[in-house]
Amino acid sequence: GRSRMPVYSESLDDPRGMIHIRDFLDFLAAHAQPGRGGEGEAAPDLGAVDLSVTLAQAAILRPVLYVPPSMPAVDLLVRMQATRTHIALVIDEYGGTDGLVSIEDLIEIVVGNIEDEHDLAETPIIPAGENRFTADARATLAELKAATGVDLSGNEIADDIDTLGGLIVTLAGRVPALGETVRGPDGLSF
């Protein structure tokens, strides 16, 4: 499901670059031995490719952008366009890896979620037993109603709230602790 992967040495804090799946496939094709295919056609023998070579020896390691966490997203997008690089590593003040940003992440900030054939359909609320559900905090109250039949639209607490997470924070009056149970309207527990 990924076309680019970061490469690091001993830990994520020692990044070396990235590889692109196309470069890897080109390496396989260039090093495969001609074999015998069906009906007299030669087919490459991928088993003959020496996969013990390092990425550097295979010459498929590409440079990656290193950016500070304070860099504005628009500046990073322009830099990625100029360098034709689709991923950047965010490096903290100590030189450690803070995270990875893809050009898709930046574009999604502007245009919203972009789904492709590798993205799985997300179900924000799924059954987890009798009268129990596992839910993403970003699930809307409309999705709650569709998945469980619980309609909170007439409840005054839920009037100005759109998401399940927003409802729970409002009910608790703070961000709840991990594992904490928050009592809700209509006998619900979160």
Side-chain angles (χ1 to χ4, degrees), residues 83-97:
T83 59
R84 298 177 61 179
T85 303
H86 286 238
I87 64 171
L89 289 177
V90 181
I91 305 298
D92 65 20
E93 63 183 301
Y94 303 105
T97 302

Side-chain angles (χ1 to χ4, degrees), residues 2 73-74 76-77 80 86-90 99-114 119:
R2 302 285 182 259
V74 70
L76 178 55
L77 183 58
M80 289 174 122
H86 286 238
I87 64 171
L89 289 177
V90 181
L100 181 139
V101 179
S102 71
I103 201 164
E104 183 178 333
D105 296 331
L106 296 172
I107 292 171
E108 284 181 342
I109 291 171
V110 177
V111 299
N113 192 28
I114 300 171
D119 291 335

Side-chain angles (χ1 to χ4, degrees), residues 169-180:
V169 168
T170 301
L171 290 169
R174 60 186 162 62
V175 177
L178 183 63
E180 180 179 352

Side-chain angles (χ1 to χ4, degrees), residues 31-147:
H31 292 84
Q33 299 294 323
R36 299 294 297 169
E39 299 180 29
E41 293 182 23
D45 178 11
L46 296 176
V49 178
D50 181 9
L51 296 177
S52 67
V53 299
T54 66
L55 295 172
Q57 291 169 330
I60 61 173
L61 190 60
R62 291 180 179 223
V64 67
L65 288 175
Y66 299 101
V67 298
S70 60
M71 179 179 252
V74 70
D75 293 346
L76 178 55
L77 183 58
V78 168
R79 189 166 173 201
M80 289 174 122
Q81 286 176 312
T83 59
R84 298 177 61 179
T85 303
H86 286 238
I87 64 171
L89 289 177
V90 181
I91 305 298
D92 65 20
E93 63 183 301
Y94 303 105
T97 302
D98 231 3
L100 181 139
V101 179
S102 71
I103 201 164
E104 183 178 333
D105 296 331
L106 296 172
I107 292 171
E108 284 181 342
I109 291 171
V110 177
V111 299
N113 192 28
I114 300 171
E115 293 185 8
D116 66 16
E117 62 275 7
H118 295 288
D119 291 335
L120 300 174
E122 291 185 25
T123 305
I125 302 173
I126 56 173
E130 188 174 338
N131 293 324
R132 297 176 63 90
F133 296 87
T134 299
D136 186 316
R138 294 172 291 192
T140 65
L141 297 183
E143 290 169 326
L144 175 69
K145 179 181 176 184

